[in-house]
Each structure stands twice: as structure tokens, then as C-alpha cells.
Amino acid sequence: MEKEDDNIHWVCNLLQNLARYVFQSGKWFEEYHLIPANGPIRIGYNTDITALSFTLDPELGKIDTPHGEVSFLQLVGLTTNEFKQLEQNPAPSETEKVIEKLRQDNALLITDLDRKSF
């Protein structure tokens, strides 16, 4: 049986990898940015979630600060088939369509490692 601590470490590893990418490349993420994970987003877990996108957090959204606007982005897990579909047409509007379709069954867009393609 999996311990609760084991259940959360994969998320920390994923976020560390994304942070490392930002620091090393100097690039940042924007809404509807697509990222292939080059395999399952959780190592050692049988999941078809192998890519990520970003969307505006449905609860936090955007805020204005004295230093400018801040957008709170949320990671959304994508299946291999969803990512392949978006690779064919990577326009942000197409990614938005996929995310909105996912939102129909999952309003907060919480990534479910057991989810299959729609």
C-alpha cells in the first residue's frame, strides 16, 4: 500500500523540474503553453498523462499589484492523445478548446492520473 507521503512527492519533483527549466532557460510559462513530459508525469505510475498545459486558475485568476498584473496559472495534465492532437495545431485557441472540454467534467481542472483521453 502506498504511503500518503509517496503520493505527494511526485508533484514536488514535477514542480522542481519545471522550476529548473525556468531558471536554466530564462523562459516563463503563459496560459495555454504546452509542455511534453517525455513520459508519464509520475514516474512508476501507470498513467497516460504525459504532457502539461497552463490555464488561468479558475479561483485565483489575475490580480493587479503595484508592480503590475499577476496571473495565477494552473497546470493541467494532458493525455498522450490530447497532446498529439495539439501538436498538430498548437495554437493557443486549440489548447483552450481542449482545456474547456476537460473543464466540463472537472470544473477545477484537478489532474487525475487515472484519466484517459476524452
Side-chain angles (χ1 to χ4, degrees):
M1 181 171 183
E2 183 177 60
K3 296 183 298 185
E4 184 66 26
D5 284 351
D6 292 338
N7 194 27
I8 61 170
H9 283 127
W10 73 271
V11 176
C12 295
N13 290 335
L14 177 63
L15 292 174
Q16 285 175 333
N17 287 335
L18 290 172
R20 186 176 305 111
Y21 167 81
V22 170
F23 285 120
Q24 290 176 350
S25 71
K27 298 177 183 176
W28 58 86
F29 302 117
E30 294 178 346
E31 195 169 14
Y32 308 122
H33 188 126
L34 290 171
I35 303 170
N38 300 320
I41 64 169
R42 182 176 178 185
I43 304 291
Y45 191 90
N46 187 18
T47 183
D48 192 33
I49 305 295
T50 58
L52 301 163
S53 185
F54 292 86
T55 190
L56 196 62
D57 186 282
E59 293 185 324
L60 299 176
K62 294 181 183 181
I63 62 170
D64 287 316
T65 74
H67 304 286
E69 183 179 84
V70 174
S71 296
F72 291 92
L73 297 179
Q74 176 178 343
L75 278 171
V76 178
L78 301 173
T79 64
T80 301
N81 286 337
E82 292 159 355
F83 181 72
K84 285 181 181 178
Q85 173 189 339
L86 290 169
E87 268 188 318
Q88 300 301 313
N89 187 358
S93 61
E94 293 302 311
T95 305
E96 181 179 14
K97 288 177 191 174
V98 169
I99 289 174
E100 289 309 312
K101 186 165 183 155
L102 293 172
R103 194 184 307 273
Q104 291 173 3
D105 294 326
N106 182 358
L108 295 178
L109 296 169
I110 297 168
T111 297
D112 176 1
L113 293 175
D114 296 320
R115 186 177 70 76
K116 303 299 179 203
S117 291
F118 49 77

